[in-house]
Amino acid sequence: MSHNSFGHLFRVTTFGESHGPAIGCVVDGCPPLIPLTEADIQGDLDRRRPGQSRFTTQRQEPDQVRIVSGVFARESDGVQITTGTPIGLMIDNVDQRSKDYSEIKDKYRPGHADFTYDVKYGIRDYRGGGRSSARETAMRVAAGAIARKVVPGLVVRGALVQMGPHKIDRANWDWEEVGRNPFFCPDAKAAAFFEGYLDGVRKSGSSTGAVLEIVAEGVPVGLGAPIYGKLDAEIAAALMSINAVKGVEIGDGFDAAALSGEENADEMRAGNDGRPLFLSNHAGGILGGISTGQPIVARFAVKPTSSILATRATVTRSGGEAEMFTKGRHDPCVGIRAVPVGEAMVACVLADHFLRHRAQVGVVEPRWPFQE
Amino acid sequence: MSHNSFGHLFRVTTFGESHGPAIGCVVDGCPPLIPLTEADIQGDLDRRRPGQSRFTTQRQEPDQVRIVSGVFARESDGVQITTGTPIGLMIDNVDQRSKDYSEIKDKYRPGHADFTYDVKYGIRDYRGGGRSSARETAMRVAAGAIARKVVPGLVVRGALVQMGPHKIDRANWDWEEVGRNPFFCPDAKAAAFFEGYLDGVRKSGSSTGAVLEIVAEGVPVGLGAPIYGKLDAEIAAALMSINAVKGVEIGDGFDAAALSGEENADEMRAGNDGRPLFLSNHAGGILGGISTGQPIVARFAVKPTSSILATRATVTRSGGEAEMFTKGRHDPCVGIRAVPVGEAMVACVLADHFLRHRAQVGVVEPRWPFQE
Amino acid sequence: MSHNSFGHLFRVTTFGESHGPAIGCVVDGCPPLIPLTEADIQGDLDRRRPGQSRFTTQRQEPDQVRIVSGVFARESDGVQITTGTPIGLMIDNVDQRSKDYSEIKDKYRPGHADFTYDVKYGIRDYRGGGRSSARETAMRVAAGAIARKVVPGLVVRGALVQMGPHKIDRANWDWEEVGRNPFFCPDAKAAAFFEGYLDGVRKSGSSTGAVLEIVAEGVPVGLGAPIYGKLDAEIAAALMSINAVKGVEIGDGFDAAALSGEENADEMRAGNDGRPLFLSNHAGGILGGISTGQPIVARFAVKPTSSILATRATVTRSGGEAEMFTKGRHDPCVGIRAVPVGEAMVACVLADHFLRHRAQVGVVEPRWPFQE
Amino acid sequence: MSHNSFGHLFRVTTFGESHGPAIGCVVDGCPPLIPLTEADIQGDLDRRRPGQSRFTTQRQEPDQVRIVSGVFARESDGVQITTGTPIGLMIDNVDQRSKDYSEIKDKYRPGHADFTYDVKYGIRDYRGGGRSSARETAMRVAAGAIARKVVPGLVVRGALVQMGPHKIDRANWDWEEVGRNPFFCPDAKAAAFFEGYLDGVRKSGSSTGAVLEIVAEGVPVGLGAPIYGKLDAEIAAALMSINAVKGVEIGDGFDAAALSGEENADEMRAGNDGRPLFLSNHAGGILGGISTGQPIVARFAVKPTSSILATRATVTRSGGEAEMFTKGRHDPCVGIRAVPVGEAMVACVLADHFLRHRAQVGVVEPRWPFQE
């Protein structure tokens, strides 16, 4: 309900602006007794961190996370574990380059939240986008690193599957490849192409969009809370809440509209492991808002960065018309760094639903087949 | 938070199953003093009602709504108005055709929620889908009819823009046309084509999907509650929570991924009405999760009905394998009737954000241009 | 958050007014597989029902509850059980005696919510108190009957411990006695006295207040969600939300203020049953907002009914001054019937925390003593 | 819903433990454009700060608050104002005296939350009470300082009205006196007595309880959200959530039980200021859960500190029996410092309801008298 919180039982609240002293996060409702150190979180943060290749913003942020509450060293072995109390996380803002804001403080950058924040609140922190900056997503990634530990056996991975108009070849999909290129791209051949493509975009001062795919494996059957707390509905909200996202799909997504009922409905056979064997996964692992036990597959579209090296028409705070030209350090394809953010959001939704399921039903295990 | 509720301040809770005695809804938090009669709600319900053409299920439900609380006749003129207390709505289930359920009570219909509900809860009401039936969406439409009255000047309309693989021609868009064909299609030529196309699908016992578009006009600037209560995030959840929906987009949606920054960011000029004049609407009326004052444009994809006249492989409750064949009354394109449902969901989200905005900011009017 | 809902995971939403067609309730989040029939609920409703003795209002309401959703007959034995979907409950209003409201529709009854509802909302249903009528508490009792079944082994009982200025003698406490007199009084001697006392109050057209005590036994150790979801904080809200309640205490309550630390802190010894043996229960079963496993003891004070046969000074809708005299059927001690309502509220809070605890911690059983 | 958050629209989340590096708070939903500096908050924090007299714990904490987000200097005059984004507050823990915890880490202090936290979570931070320490209340006070600024004209003050068994003489009530003695006592004569009384308690190594009263003036008519969001219900939860509180009353509270209807119901006459003139305030400013415009009066009882210099029987983590003796810096009457905490909690509830009322009703002003 709160503007800056999400999740019901695994609840994440973030605060902080791009150019304030720090950004922070509170994770409330986390189960106790889970081993957790800063290193567990730092790995994911480093994957999202800017400045790691020439294809992301050159802002230099170490994004060093500190856990300020909610953990304690276990007596028996000294391992630091969660205590069930709120986990406070802080990251100091380091690279707040002093800058002349006179160009942008009275003008609204097209495609940015400048205009809407100002009209809504009557004031905005114009330094680096303030609260609307993608810098906030660092805290999502931090929370997601904790969420991953809540659901036993859960593996959430993401990949870039389209850059600009160029889709990868899914036949080349190799999860190992994702960590080998700066694009989180699972198709080595496409990654090679993207390098040249994005260099062109970058050098021309332009930007491009992307489509990302998140796959969650090891999800127990039965997670999801129909009708309005459907697992897919909450994944949709979680992904759409990421900066610059304009679309979300589950399973076949928009392509499902073009299918026939025969093509779309996943048939079932009896598996050997207490789960049914689905013969396909058009549903993306969710039926009726509840997980089927198949991998959950979600995709989301990220628009091109609006900060580009081109003059654009806009208006000023006082109602005048103006042209503006956004200088500064930006991502030519902001979608790239959205991969770990998308993973984190899906992990958080799953952790939340894992707890919600356990609350209502008491057990988290297949009830099928029923031996009555 | 509750499974069967949505909205924070304009809060909708539904209950009831397809073949129980009744379905119902509680709308809590509605402002007082709004004129409201059953007729105001019935109009939208009639648009969703099944059995109105050969292209929707032949279940015969009058869907007659009763307001059981939350309204009172104003002393001065006898007009029935909301009192600020919870509005209870009830619709009796009338056409609960008695039926032999022996075929489906132990088998899981592929593509339906049968399996997931059973595994989650250990029991399910198998009559007509029980709680997972699209019948529940009648109460969304009823709530939406109230929501429309909460935001002054709001107009929310929807249309079918794709059936199966066939898209309409947006050049032919005519809102008047939507009410003239059984498909809610704004393109007369496409509607004529869909008639033959869907007859073919229906007669072959198959089904097809659809894409629907919702457009909300008259939305004040400033609605939306960043970061996690973004207007687009909550619209995405609301639409994805509708039965059979697999994808949601805002503005250019997935197409935005293929655009350059120059193409995508909407430029602004000074309008004459205290709102800026945007030169395009790629954003779909939302920036940074907050409404811009432009029309809000959302699309969603509905998968083909899984109930088809074809034999499908499945499993039984006790773990065996089986074939099944779904008889009964069904929609060859369940997406058609999702149009008023989508409108209702968007209206409810907007009503909720209208109240949330008024809470935090106190005024609902453009603050721009700033005359300081 | 919603005005007419409470609970987080076991969530109760009520609707309806005193003189509308019906009152209703939705219980969402209830675990599945719990046997539940209307008879299970009716018993508690009958204990609250008016008109059962000359000491409660003579309104004749059968308060016959109907379950309209959320249950299904189990295949194996035909027993009706909960399905995990929302449980809809309805009670038709029967004794809506037609009446002349001209006396009260423009005047505000002192001590009632007439003035505040009207100023807040700009309208009120003045028939029998409308939404602010104690009739709403019937639905709390109905929800409470379900809540009692959620926590295994839970027994929640209530008793009247003070009427007007007269306290019972706790040495005479006998739970069996509670069902034998019309006052829910556990002290037979006090009950005999109250009969004459309350007859005097009733015949003089006056009213009197009461203090009620609720005791919950069989509460697992560990329920409660510090810091702001403390078990005692939520019990306090739940009891204070009952009509006419002006005070709530846990354990020694206000008397604790007069104690020394030595007197107040309950010492512990090792019990034989995996629970500690507390040597006293000044805490009322809660420490740090979390249940200790001892009985939870809460008391609440109910003010005297404001509807009395005496002329009172008040104001009118249009700002004039007036005298008014409340006729009609009322309780000389409205606190009496608050006993089953208080029990229900405590049961609902405990059911909610039982689910919340199970969500976060996974197990509901003593972890003590720790064998590491 | 979250364990460590309260409020719906003005939402406060706290984190941190007694002996961790820092404690923090996020205030979300605060209206924009409110002037706010650290000095505005520090004043209230200083009133709660320990170590200011010999009657409170000698822990030396400067409790210096830092605002890390949610404010920005207004262009026109440089005044720092809220931006509508989450306000992050941090206080570093300074006086974390290194200490030998071997005495308490395996034993449960009677009357403390040690046992319940450990059984619930399976681990606890035993340093200074960890999360259950009253140190957390510093963040409540900080949030309350912001809440006070949300409701125009609101004044919330508190006072100690009873220490141990000794009540003040209300005839001597002087708000000015509250700031002149170390007890927040409005009765100078009682304060003089308490000095000697509490010295005796302190020197004997014992402790004593207290009753505090909070009075909120300038509350608009109409705040409160019936039925379950009643203003008094939420005040009860807010006050009961403070450490060591065992009882809460509104208006006449428990004394109301002993009154007759004639004595209790507050009569009304027409006032001159658009508010009615109530002839008394037994109701404590709330009827039907909604504010009447009279001062809101709430009292709460604080139990004596359980940390005393006396040997007490208890149990150990591994199930053995033990005696323990709590050394360390403690308050002989922990209730004293609860005064600013109680004020803060009431202020936060009022700020929240102010926003909730504005959301639903749109205006915050008397609608009475009605000129129709």
Side-chain angles (χ1 to χ4, degrees):
Chain A
M1 147 87 262
S2 293
H3 310 330
N4 294 280
S5 300
F6 72 101
H8 301 292
L9 297 182
F10 184 88
R11 188 161 176 87
V12 177
T13 300
T14 70
F15 58 99
E17 289 96 37
S18 174
H19 284 61
I23 56 174
C25 175
V26 187
V27 176
D28 198 7
C30 185
L33 311 182
I34 297 177
L36 182 70
T37 65
E38 284 152 357
D40 294 327
I41 300 171
Q42 198 62 48
D44 280 351
L45 280 171
D46 289 348
R47 293 173 65 227
R48 192 211 74 102
R49 193 152 54 84
Q52 300 191 97
S53 80
R54 68 183 182 278
F55 302 111
T56 58
T57 172
Q58 296 307 301
R59 179 169 173 159
Q60 294 295 335
E61 284 289 353
D63 279 351
Q64 199 73 40
V65 72
R66 282 179 299 129
I67 302 177
V68 300
S69 65
V71 294
F72 200 69
R74 181 161 53 197
E75 197 67 23
S76 56
D77 57 7
V79 171
Q80 180 168 287
I81 58 176
T82 57
T83 61
T85 63
I87 303 169
L89 305 172
M90 299 291 294
I91 295 176
D92 290 329
N93 286 332
V94 170
D95 185 12
Q96 314 157 51
R97 197 173 290 197
S98 82
K99 189 176 160 184
D100 177 11
Y101 291 103
S102 56
E103 172 68 7
I104 66 163
K105 74 183 166 57
D106 289 321
K107 291 182 191 171
Y108 302 123
R109 294 170 298 164
H112 278 283
D114 299 358
F115 171 71
T116 52
Y117 265 70
D118 206 3
V119 172
K120 182 178 185 74
Y121 296 119
I123 186 171
R124 70 187 172 98
D125 177 349
Y126 43 71
R127 301 166 307 169
R131 179 66 182 153
S132 70
S133 164
R135 179 139 188 71
E136 186 270 345
T137 62
M139 300 316 316
R140 303 178 186 226
V141 171
I146 301 173
R148 290 172 195 269
K149 301 189 136 211
V150 170
V151 187
L154 177 68
V155 176
V156 182
R157 294 183 290 190
L160 179 145
V161 297
Q162 180 182 329
M163 186 186 292
H166 308 290
K167 298 189 181 189
I168 67 159
D169 180 348
R170 301 184 74 91
N172 296 339
W173 193 294
D174 175 5
W175 279 113
E176 295 299 315
E177 185 56 33
V178 167
R180 293 197 197 109
N181 61 69
F183 311 112
F184 298 96
C185 179
D187 170 359
K189 209 166 146 192
F193 170 78
F194 290 153
E195 189 152 347
Y197 173 72
L198 198 55
D199 260 335
V201 169
R202 184 172 60 86
K203 286 173 182 164
S204 71
S206 186
S207 64
T208 191
V211 176
L212 300 318
E213 181 166 317
I214 308 295
V215 180
E217 291 167 291
V219 180
V221 190
L223 302 198
I227 300 296
Y228 299 109
K230 280 176 175 159
L231 191 53
D232 37 0
E234 302 212 341
I235 288 173
L239 294 176
M240 192 69 94
S241 79
I242 301 171
N243 305 43
V245 173
K246 301 303 288 182
V248 179
E249 337 180 276
I250 305 292
D252 281 6
F254 278 87
D255 288 347
L259 298 180
S260 68
E262 292 88 333
E263 292 164 329
N264 179 72
D266 304 307
E267 295 186 286
M268 286 179 271
R269 298 281 82 182
N272 298 320
D273 58 349
R275 289 185 175 196
L277 184 67
F278 284 93
L279 304 183
S280 53
N281 189 14
H282 297 286
I286 302 174
L287 283 174
I290 304 172
S291 61
T292 63
Q294 287 196 285
I296 289 175
V297 181
R299 271 178 307 285
F300 60 108
V302 179
K303 71 180 186 185
T305 325
S306 299
S307 301
I308 47 176
L309 299 178
T311 301
R312 308 285 290 159
T314 191
V315 295
T316 68
R317 255 202 139 215
S318 51
E321 300 192 336
E323 312 305 308
M324 87 181 297
F325 179 90
T326 314
K327 287 166 297 190
R329 305 159 294 177
H330 297 290
D331 292 277
C333 178
V334 74
I336 295 171
R337 287 167 55 215
V339 169
V341 182
E343 290 173 11
M345 295 307 284
V346 170
C348 286
V349 171
L350 289 170
D352 189 47
H353 273 285
F354 178 82
L355 301 183
R356 289 159 77 176
H357 179 77
R358 188 160 72 177
Q360 189 181 15
V361 175
V363 292
V364 183
E365 56 190 29
R367 292 177 189 268
W368 180 85
F370 290 89
Q371 264 99 18
E372 290 169 312
Chain B
M1 146 88 265
S2 294
H3 310 330
N4 295 281
S5 300
F6 72 102
H8 302 292
L9 297 182
F10 184 88
R11 188 160 176 88
V12 177
T13 300
T14 70
F15 57 101
E17 290 96 35
S18 174
H19 284 61
I23 56 175
C25 175
V26 187
V27 176
D28 198 7
C30 184
L33 311 182
I34 297 177
L36 182 70
T37 65
E38 286 153 357
D40 294 327
I41 301 171
Q42 197 63 47
D44 280 352
L45 281 172
D46 289 346
R47 292 173 66 226
R48 193 211 73 102
R49 193 151 54 85
Q52 302 191 96
S53 80
R54 67 182 182 277
F55 302 110
T56 59
T57 172
Q58 295 307 302
R59 178 168 174 160
Q60 293 296 335
E61 284 289 354
D63 279 353
Q64 199 74 39
V65 72
R66 280 180 300 130
I67 303 177
V68 299
S69 66
V71 293
F72 200 68
R74 183 162 52 196
E75 198 66 25
S76 56
D77 57 7
V79 171
Q80 180 169 287
I81 58 177
T82 58
T83 60
T85 63
I87 302 169
L89 303 173
M90 299 291 293
I91 295 176
D92 290 328
N93 285 332
V94 169
D95 185 12
Q96 313 158 49
R97 198 173 290 196
S98 81
K99 191 177 157 182
D100 176 13
Y101 290 104
S102 56
E103 172 69 10
I104 66 165
K105 74 184 167 58
D106 289 322
K107 292 182 190 171
Y108 303 123
R109 294 171 298 165
H112 278 283
D114 299 358
F115 171 71
T116 53
Y117 266 71
D118 205 5
V119 172
K120 182 179 185 73
Y121 297 119
I123 185 171
R124 69 186 172 100
D125 177 348
Y126 43 71
R127 301 166 307 168
R131 180 67 182 153
S132 71
S133 164
R135 179 137 188 73
E136 187 270 345
T137 62
M139 299 316 316
R140 303 178 185 227
V141 171
I146 301 173
R148 291 173 194 268
K149 300 189 136 211
V150 169
V151 186
L154 176 68
V155 177
V156 182
R157 293 183 290 190
L160 179 145
V161 297
Q162 181 181 330
M163 186 186 292
H166 308 290
K167 298 190 183 190
I168 66 159
D169 181 348
R170 300 183 74 92
N172 296 339
W173 193 294
D174 176 6
W175 278 114
E176 295 298 315
E177 187 56 34
V178 167
R180 293 197 197 109
N181 62 68
F183 311 112
F184 298 96
C185 179
D187 170 0
K189 211 166 144 193
F193 170 78
F194 289 155
E195 189 152 347
Y197 172 70
L198 197 54
D199 261 333
V201 168
R202 184 172 59 86
K203 286 173 184 165
S204 71
S206 185
S207 64
T208 192
V211 177
L212 299 318
E213 181 166 318
I214 309 295
V215 179
E217 292 168 289
V219 179
V221 190
L223 303 198
I227 300 297
Y228 299 110
K230 280 176 176 161
L231 191 54
D232 35 2
E234 301 212 342
I235 288 173
L239 294 176
M240 193 69 94
S241 79
I242 300 172
N243 305 43
V245 172
K246 301 304 288 183
V248 179
E249 334 180 280
I250 304 293
D252 280 7
F254 277 86
D255 287 349
L259 299 180
S260 69
E262 293 88 331
E263 292 163 326
N264 177 72
D266 304 305
E267 295 186 286
M268 286 178 273
R269 297 282 82 180
N272 298 320
D273 59 349
R275 288 185 176 195
L277 184 68
F278 284 92
L279 305 182
S280 53
N281 189 16
H282 296 285
I286 303 174
L287 284 172
I290 304 172
S291 61
T292 63
Q294 286 196 284
I296 289 175
V297 180
R299 270 178 307 284
F300 60 109
V302 179
K303 70 179 187 186
T305 325
S306 299
S307 301
I308 46 176
L309 299 179
T311 300
R312 309 285 291 160
T314 191
V315 294
T316 67
R317 252 200 142 218
S318 51
E321 301 192 335
E323 313 305 309
M324 86 182 296
F325 180 88
T326 314
K327 287 164 298 187
R329 304 159 296 175
H330 296 290
D331 292 276
C333 178
V334 74
I336 296 172
R337 289 167 53 214
V339 169
V341 181
E343 291 174 12
M345 295 307 284
V346 170
C348 286
V349 170
L350 289 169
D352 190 47
H353 273 286
F354 178 82
L355 301 184
R356 289 160 76 176
H357 179 77
R358 188 160 73 177
Q360 189 181 15
V361 174
V363 292
V364 183
E365 55 189 29
R367 292 177 189 268
W368 182 84
F370 290 90
Q371 263 99 19
E372 292 169 311
Chain C
M1 147 87 265
S2 293
H3 310 330
N4 295 280
S5 299
F6 72 101
H8 301 291
L9 297 182
F10 184 88
R11 188 161 176 86
V12 177
T13 300
T14 69
F15 57 100
E17 290 96 36
S18 173
H19 285 61
I23 56 176
C25 175
V26 187
V27 176
D28 198 8
C30 184
L33 311 182
I34 297 177
L36 182 69
T37 65
E38 286 154 356
D40 294 328
I41 301 172
Q42 198 62 49
D44 279 353
L45 280 172
D46 289 347
R47 292 172 66 226
R48 193 212 72 102
R49 192 152 55 86
Q52 302 191 97
S53 79
R54 67 183 184 275
F55 302 111
T56 59
T57 172
Q58 295 306 301
R59 179 169 174 160
Q60 293 296 334
E61 283 289 355
D63 279 352
Q64 199 74 38
V65 72
R66 280 180 299 130
I67 303 177
V68 299
S69 66
V71 292
F72 200 69
R74 182 161 53 196
E75 198 66 25
S76 56
D77 57 7
V79 171
Q80 181 168 286
I81 58 178
T82 57
T83 61
T85 63
I87 302 170
L89 304 173
M90 300 291 293
I91 295 176
D92 290 328
N93 286 331
V94 169
D95 185 12
Q96 313 158 51
R97 196 173 293 198
S98 82
K99 190 175 158 182
D100 177 11
Y101 290 104
S102 56
E103 172 69 10
I104 67 165
K105 74 185 168 56
D106 289 322
K107 292 182 190 171
Y108 302 122
R109 293 171 298 163
H112 279 282
D114 298 358
F115 171 71
T116 53
Y117 265 71
D118 205 5
V119 172
K120 181 178 186 72
Y121 296 119
I123 186 171
R124 70 186 172 97
D125 177 349
Y126 43 71
R127 300 166 307 168
R131 180 68 181 152
S132 71
S133 165
R135 178 135 189 75
E136 187 270 345
T137 61
M139 299 316 317
R140 304 179 185 227
V141 171
I146 301 173
R148 289 173 194 269
K149 300 188 135 210
V150 170
V151 186
L154 176 68
V155 177
V156 182
R157 293 182 291 189
L160 179 146
V161 297
Q162 181 182 329
M163 185 185 291
H166 308 290
K167 298 189 183 190
I168 65 159
D169 181 349
R170 300 183 75 92
N172 296 339
W173 193 295
D174 176 6
W175 279 113
E176 295 297 315
E177 186 57 32
V178 167
R180 292 195 197 110
N181 61 68
F183 310 112
F184 298 95
C185 179
D187 170 359
K189 209 165 147 193
F193 170 78
F194 290 154
E195 189 153 349
Y197 173 72
L198 197 55
D199 260 334
V201 169
R202 184 172 60 86
K203 286 174 183 164
S204 71
S206 185
S207 63
T208 191
V211 177
L212 299 319
E213 181 165 317
I214 308 295
V215 179
E217 292 168 289
V219 180
V221 190
L223 303 198
I227 298 294
Y228 299 111
K230 281 176 175 159
L231 191 53
D232 36 1
E234 301 212 341
I235 288 173
L239 293 176
M240 193 68 94
S241 79
I242 300 172
N243 304 43
V245 173
K246 301 304 288 182
V248 179
E249 336 180 278
I250 304 292
D252 281 7
F254 278 86
D255 287 348
L259 299 180
S260 69
E262 293 88 332
E263 292 164 327
N264 179 72
D266 304 305
E267 295 186 286
M268 286 178 272
R269 298 281 82 181
N272 298 320
D273 58 350
R275 289 185 175 195
L277 184 68
F278 284 93
L279 305 182
S280 53
N281 189 15
H282 296 286
I286 302 174
L287 283 173
I290 303 172
S291 61
T292 63
Q294 288 197 285
I296 289 176
V297 181
R299 271 178 306 286
F300 60 109
V302 179
K303 71 180 186 185
T305 324
S306 298
S307 301
I308 47 176
L309 299 178
T311 301
R312 309 285 292 160
T314 192
V315 293
T316 67
R317 257 204 136 213
S318 52
E321 301 191 335
E323 313 306 308
M324 87 182 297
F325 179 89
T326 315
K327 287 166 298 188
R329 304 160 296 175
H330 297 289
D331 292 277
C333 178
V334 74
I336 295 172
R337 288 168 53 215
V339 169
V341 181
E343 291 173 12
M345 294 308 284
V346 170
C348 286
V349 171
L350 289 170
D352 190 48
H353 273 285
F354 178 82
L355 301 183
R356 290 160 77 176
H357 179 76
R358 189 160 73 176
Q360 189 180 15
V361 174
V363 292
V364 182
E365 55 190 28
R367 293 177 187 268
W368 182 84
F370 290 89
Q371 263 99 19
E372 293 168 311
Chain D
M1 148 88 265
S2 293
H3 311 331
N4 295 280
S5 300
F6 71 102
H8 302 291
L9 298 181
F10 184 89
R11 187 160 176 87
V12 177
T13 300
T14 70
F15 57 100
E17 290 96 36
S18 174
H19 284 60
I23 56 175
C25 175
V26 187
V27 176
D28 197 6
C30 185
L33 312 182
I34 297 177
L36 181 70
T37 66
E38 286 153 356
D40 294 326
I41 300 171
Q42 198 62 48
D44 280 351
L45 280 171
D46 289 347
R47 292 172 65 228
R48 192 212 72 103
R49 192 152 54 84
Q52 301 191 97
S53 79
R54 68 183 182 278
F55 302 111
T56 58
T57 172
Q58 295 307 301
R59 179 168 173 160
Q60 293 296 334
E61 284 290 353
D63 279 351
Q64 199 73 40
V65 71
R66 280 179 300 129
I67 302 177
V68 299
S69 66
V71 294
F72 200 68
R74 182 162 53 197
E75 198 66 25
S76 56
D77 57 7
V79 170
Q80 180 168 287
I81 58 177
T82 58
T83 61
T85 63
I87 303 169
L89 304 173
M90 298 291 294
I91 296 176
D92 290 328
N93 285 332
V94 170
D95 185 12
Q96 315 158 50
R97 196 172 291 197
S98 81
K99 190 176 157 183
D100 177 10
Y101 291 103
S102 55
E103 172 69 9
I104 67 164
K105 75 183 166 58
D106 289 323
K107 291 182 192 172
Y108 303 123
R109 294 170 298 163
H112 278 283
D114 299 358
F115 170 72
T116 53
Y117 266 70
D118 205 4
V119 173
K120 181 178 185 73
Y121 296 120
I123 186 172
R124 69 187 172 98
D125 177 349
Y126 43 70
R127 301 166 306 168
R131 180 67 181 153
S132 71
S133 164
R135 178 138 189 73
E136 186 270 346
T137 62
M139 299 317 314
R140 303 179 185 227
V141 171
I146 300 172
R148 290 173 195 269
K149 300 188 136 211
V150 170
V151 187
L154 177 68
V155 176
V156 182
R157 294 182 290 189
L160 179 146
V161 297
Q162 180 182 330
M163 184 185 291
H166 308 291
K167 298 190 181 188
I168 66 159
D169 180 349
R170 300 183 75 91
N172 296 340
W173 194 294
D174 175 5
W175 279 114
E176 294 299 313
E177 185 58 32
V178 167
R180 292 195 197 110
N181 62 68
F183 310 113
F184 298 96
C185 179
D187 169 358
K189 209 165 147 193
F193 170 79
F194 290 154
E195 189 152 350
Y197 173 72
L198 197 55
D199 261 335
V201 169
R202 184 172 60 85
K203 286 173 183 163
S204 69
S206 185
S207 63
T208 192
V211 177
L212 300 317
E213 181 166 315
I214 308 296
V215 179
E217 292 167 290
V219 179
V221 190
L223 303 198
I227 300 294
Y228 299 110
K230 281 176 175 161
L231 190 53
D232 36 2
E234 302 211 341
I235 288 173
L239 294 176
M240 193 70 94
S241 79
I242 300 171
N243 305 43
V245 173
K246 301 303 287 182
V248 179
E249 334 179 281
I250 305 292
D252 281 6
F254 277 86
D255 287 349
L259 299 181
S260 68
E262 293 88 332
E263 291 164 328
N264 179 71
D266 303 306
E267 296 186 287
M268 286 179 270
R269 299 280 80 181
N272 297 319
D273 57 351
R275 289 186 176 195
L277 184 68
F278 285 92
L279 305 183
S280 53
N281 189 15
H282 297 285
I286 302 174
L287 283 173
I290 304 172
S291 61
T292 63
Q294 288 196 283
I296 289 176
V297 180
R299 271 178 306 284
F300 60 108
V302 179
K303 70 179 187 185
T305 324
S306 299
S307 301
I308 47 176
L309 299 179
T311 300
R312 308 284 291 158
T314 190
V315 294
T316 68
R317 254 203 139 215
S318 50
E321 300 192 336
E323 314 305 308
M324 86 181 297
F325 179 90
T326 315
K327 286 166 298 189
R329 304 160 297 176
H330 297 288
D331 292 277
C333 178
V334 75
I336 295 171
R337 287 167 54 216
V339 169
V341 182
E343 290 174 12
M345 295 307 284
V346 170
C348 286
V349 170
L350 289 170
D352 188 48
H353 273 286
F354 178 82
L355 301 183
R356 290 160 76 177
H357 180 76
R358 190 160 71 178
Q360 188 181 16
V361 175
V363 292
V364 183
E365 54 190 30
R367 293 177 188 266
W368 181 84
F370 289 90
Q371 264 99 18
E372 292 171 310

